[in-house]
Amino acid sequence: MNGSRETDSPILLAEAVSKAYGEQLGCVDISFELWPGEVLAIVGESGSGKTTLLNCLSAQLMPDRGSARYHRRNDGLRDIYAMSEAERRFLMRTDWAFVHQNPRDGLRMNVSAGANVGERLMAVGARHYGDIRARAVDWMEKVEVDTSRIDHFPRTFSGGMQQRLQIARNLVTGPRLVFMDEPTGGLDVSVQARLLDLIRGLVTRLQLSVIIVTHDLAVARLLAHRMMVMRDGRVVEQGLTDQVLDDPQHAYTQLLVSSVLQA
Amino acid sequence: MLQAEGLAKTFTLHLKDGLRLPVLSDMSFTVTSDEAVALTGPSGSGKSTLMRMLYANYRCDAGVLNVRHQGDWVNLADASARMVRTVRRETIGYVSQFLRVIPRVPTLQVVAEPLIERGAEEGHASRRASELLERLNIPAKLWDLSPVTFSGGEQQRVNIARGFAAPYPILLLDEPTASLDAENRQVVINMICEARDAGTAIVGIFHDTPARNAVCTREIDLAEKAAA
Ligand SMILES: Nc1ncnc2c1ncn2[C@@H]1O[C@H](COP(=O)(O)OP(=O)(O)OP(=O)(O)O)[C@@H](O)[C@H]1O
Ligand SMILES: [Mg+2]
């Protein structure tokens, strides 16, 4: 069974990705491989370039230099920056998903919860109303949002519910690569624990590849197989999550680890 | 199963002006299957450090750490993160001194997880997990609860059950019998001896001398090897 999980190609291969905002450094010379089923956390304090990097990797921002090759289902590794705009938009609707820190950026607040989930399906060609609604209900159950609220607007939901709905909307189309930017930021601790638990379960069950940005080392410990520590736009250390957290080599990583109670 | 050659470890504490703490140097040894090797030495001599290096939880500063993995030798001292994950899933089990509890995950699932990760069918994995929990005297009414609120001894037994769920060729045990009562200590000793006799290579730390004598076929004394 392991054979089906391990292919001989990374799903994403980033090489020397760099992006500056004028004089201001965004991210510098970032290289790594992401393999199918792997969860990679990008950690570092605010302003260290995590979100810039994530936006470059998900082609929402064009880097100044570097390449990011994505393994498409049918034609192998292709540089996403060399694709046409239409090809990239297609990837974003099908193979990729992006979970934003603020549900406002990932949901439409004034259409119903069911339509928020159904919309992604329609974008990939689903037409049958009954099917779409059934799959929306199914996903609302998977993310533990009360299905009797399928016709309510997300703006009437709590922060945790909105975030779970955003995840349903993103995963309903069966993506292979999910980008997450601080998905648990701004939530109460108990709500956060429940959301992390949900994400952890889905990632394992669906064998998703995930790149998650977080400043919370406990989130990285819980979800990520590997992590990358960023400072001033550069990666100062990367490796297995438990190795980086338990035996940090770089002065900055040691500072981060020693600054939290227990990660 | 395991060949260490010239392993060394020094911690550099950058927050303490780069203070260097040499812990291990030039450690060489081999462990074959059906052997159970005890790491001995006073507190602070680096027993847990070496054990964590064998699991690639700590990096090796120098040396080669060859592990027999699916018929090949893999040098864990410079293997990729992805290779280390595969080796941990298939070849090396590790029972840490304390269970790292993940909130909200029920005990049965904590124990079954290593099997699920190997692709075992869920029913089979939970049956195996129940057997182990039963043998380790964890009452069935606790199986659906997260071990967060369990006693130290209960958590340690859950940890052991998890470590024994999958049949690893190599098993690392960091004080598996500490904080257990006499009855459960005996259960754990029996489990370790059975694994050893079935051909598992075992490396363990046992402060409890009778347990060490019951289980181990050989000792590696870190006091003699202490870094200069
Ligand atoms: N992550 C770490 N960072 C810095 N120093 C460490 C780290 N882990 C261990 N050490 C240091 O390494 C030395 C050896 O510790 P270790 O835990 O390996 O000893 P031990 O032989 O297992 O002791 P005990 O019998 O008390 O469990 C100690 O000085 C310890 O402080
Ligand atoms: Mg110790």
Side-chain angles (χ1 to χ4, degrees):
Chain A
M1 255 187 100
N2 295 319
S4 64
R5 294 175 180 191
E6 271 158 43
T7 51
D8 41 17
S9 166
I11 190 164
L12 189 72
L13 222 168
E15 266 166 284
V17 172
S18 304
K19 171 78 188 170
Y21 307 98
E23 293 289 275
Q24 183 73 27
L25 288 182
C27 58
V28 189
D29 255 352
I30 312 290
S31 302
F32 66 90
E33 294 173 356
L34 183 74
W35 290 80
E38 226 175 26
V39 179
L40 172 70
I42 304 174
V43 307
E45 61 202 13
S46 53
S48 58
K50 306 186 297 287
T51 298
T52 299
L53 174 60
L54 193 72
N55 288 340
C56 286
L57 296 173
S58 55
Q60 295 178 327
L61 195 62
M62 285 294 144
D64 305 328
R65 280 185 295 114
S67 69
R69 285 182 292 154
Y70 173 71
H71 193 109
R72 287 209 293 211
R73 294 178 210 241
N74 38 26
D75 64 354
L77 286 168
R78 289 275 318 275
D79 188 359
I80 58 173
Y81 308 126
M83 287 179 192
S84 71
E85 193 54 44
E87 282 179 300
R88 273 199 295 267
R89 268 204 306 273
F90 181 74
L91 270 188
M92 289 183 196
R93 282 203 308 267
T94 55
D95 272 27
W96 293 3
F98 199 108
V99 177
H100 296 267
Q101 173 169 10
N102 189 336
R104 254 159 236 292
D105 298 326
L107 287 175
R108 295 217 288 147
M109 289 298 172
N110 295 314
V111 306
S112 72
N116 261 285
V117 179
E119 222 172 35
R120 276 270 294 192
L121 283 171
M122 283 161 69
V124 293
R127 287 293 168 263
H128 187 272
Y129 176 78
D131 284 350
I132 293 173
R133 193 163 169 99
R135 285 177 68 187
V137 168
D138 179 42
W139 266 95
M140 285 177 71
E141 278 169 359
K142 283 200 176 101
V143 300
E144 304 167 31
V145 172
D146 181 0
T147 52
S148 72
R149 304 200 54 177
I150 188 165
D151 296 317
H152 295 190
F153 294 144
R155 62 179 157 74
T156 67
F157 290 4
S158 71
M161 277 170 74
Q162 288 180 355
Q163 209 51 314
R164 294 200 299 276
L165 185 68
Q166 195 194 167
I167 288 170
R169 174 181 161 100
N170 268 284
L171 297 189
V172 68
T173 49
R176 300 160 69 215
L177 175 57
V178 184
F179 301 94
M180 298 187 182
D181 193 357
E182 301 274 10
T184 60
L187 298 174
D188 291 340
V189 180
S190 63
V191 178
Q192 221 186 68
R194 182 171 175 200
L195 187 66
L196 283 173
D197 189 36
L198 174 80
I199 295 174
R200 191 169 174 270
L202 289 171
V203 164
T204 321
R205 221 169 315 131
L206 305 173
Q207 284 288 300
L208 299 172
S209 304
V210 180
I211 302 182
I212 180 172
V213 161
T214 178
H215 66 269
D216 187 338
L217 298 184
V219 169
R221 167 86 78 178
L222 202 61
L223 292 180
H225 304 120
R226 276 170 46 216
M227 63 189 274
M228 237 159 49
V229 182
M230 286 186 73
R231 185 189 198 188
D232 297 336
R234 292 173 195 275
V235 171
V236 297
E237 184 163 354
Q238 60 175 316
L240 281 170
T241 301
D242 63 282
Q243 206 180 58
V244 172
L245 292 176
D246 294 339
D247 187 17
Q249 306 289 308
H250 192 276
Y252 179 65
T253 318
Q254 291 188 356
L255 178 67
L256 280 185
V257 170
S258 70
S259 310
V260 292
L261 288 174
Q262 201 211 28
Chain B
M1 298 302 295
L2 222 149
Q3 285 180 340
E5 187 72 56
L7 293 185
K9 183 73 184 170
T10 296
F11 292 102
T12 305
L13 309 183
H14 291 289
L15 305 181
K16 303 265 185 240
D17 292 324
L19 176 71
R20 289 167 56 82
L21 274 182
V23 179
L24 298 170
S25 68
D26 203 20
M27 285 290 308
S28 302
F29 57 90
T30 58
V31 183
T32 57
S33 62
D34 73 28
E35 241 189 331
V37 174
L39 303 181
T40 59
S43 176
S45 59
K47 302 181 295 295
S48 298
T49 298
L50 176 58
M51 180 131 313
R52 285 166 177 263
M53 286 160 74
L54 299 181
Y55 196 59
N57 173 233
Y58 283 2
R59 285 169 218 241
C60 304
D61 295 339
V64 174
L65 176 52
N66 277 326
V67 166
R68 193 84 184 154
H69 170 68
Q70 298 179 335
D72 288 320
W73 289 102
V74 173
N75 179 6
L76 276 192
D78 75 5
S80 69
R82 181 161 171 266
M83 179 51 97
V84 172
R85 286 185 55 215
T86 313
V87 170
R88 286 179 181 178
R89 191 182 63 216
E90 304 294 335
T91 302
I92 307 186
Y94 171 51
V95 177
S96 55
Q97 210 167 343
F98 302 101
L99 176 68
R100 187 181 283 281
V101 193
I102 297 166
R104 289 173 47 105
V105 179
T107 296
L108 192 73
Q109 201 180 317
V110 170
V111 176
E113 220 164 44
L115 284 167
I116 306 275
E117 275 170 20
R118 287 175 160 217
E121 182 255 322
E122 295 221 8
H124 165 78
S126 20
R127 269 194 307 281
R128 171 81 182 136
S130 331
E131 275 167 30
L132 285 160
L133 288 168
E134 219 167 276
R135 182 159 186 202
L136 287 157
N137 300 308
I138 303 286
K141 62 175 192 288
L142 298 181
W143 298 357
D144 288 334
L145 306 178
S146 153
V148 177
T149 55
F150 289 9
S151 74
E154 284 167 345
Q155 289 195 1
Q156 185 56 352
R157 280 178 280 146
V158 171
N159 207 15
I160 290 164
R162 180 182 160 92
F164 278 83
Y168 299 104
I170 301 172
L171 200 50
L172 310 174
L173 306 166
D174 196 345
E175 305 211 26
T177 54
S179 70
L180 297 185
D181 57 34
E183 185 193 342
N184 284 308
R185 186 175 314 139
Q186 195 52 53
V187 173
V188 173
I189 289 172
N190 294 344
M191 285 170 66
I192 301 171
C193 292
E194 284 165 26
R196 179 198 62 200
D197 295 342
T200 300
I202 290 167
V203 180
I205 301 171
F206 301 88
H207 276 168
D208 161 24
T209 315
R212 180 164 71 230
N213 293 339
V215 168
C216 294
T217 53
R218 189 157 64 89
E219 292 185 3
I220 296 177
D221 187 2
L222 296 191
E224 294 166 3
K225 300 250 179 189

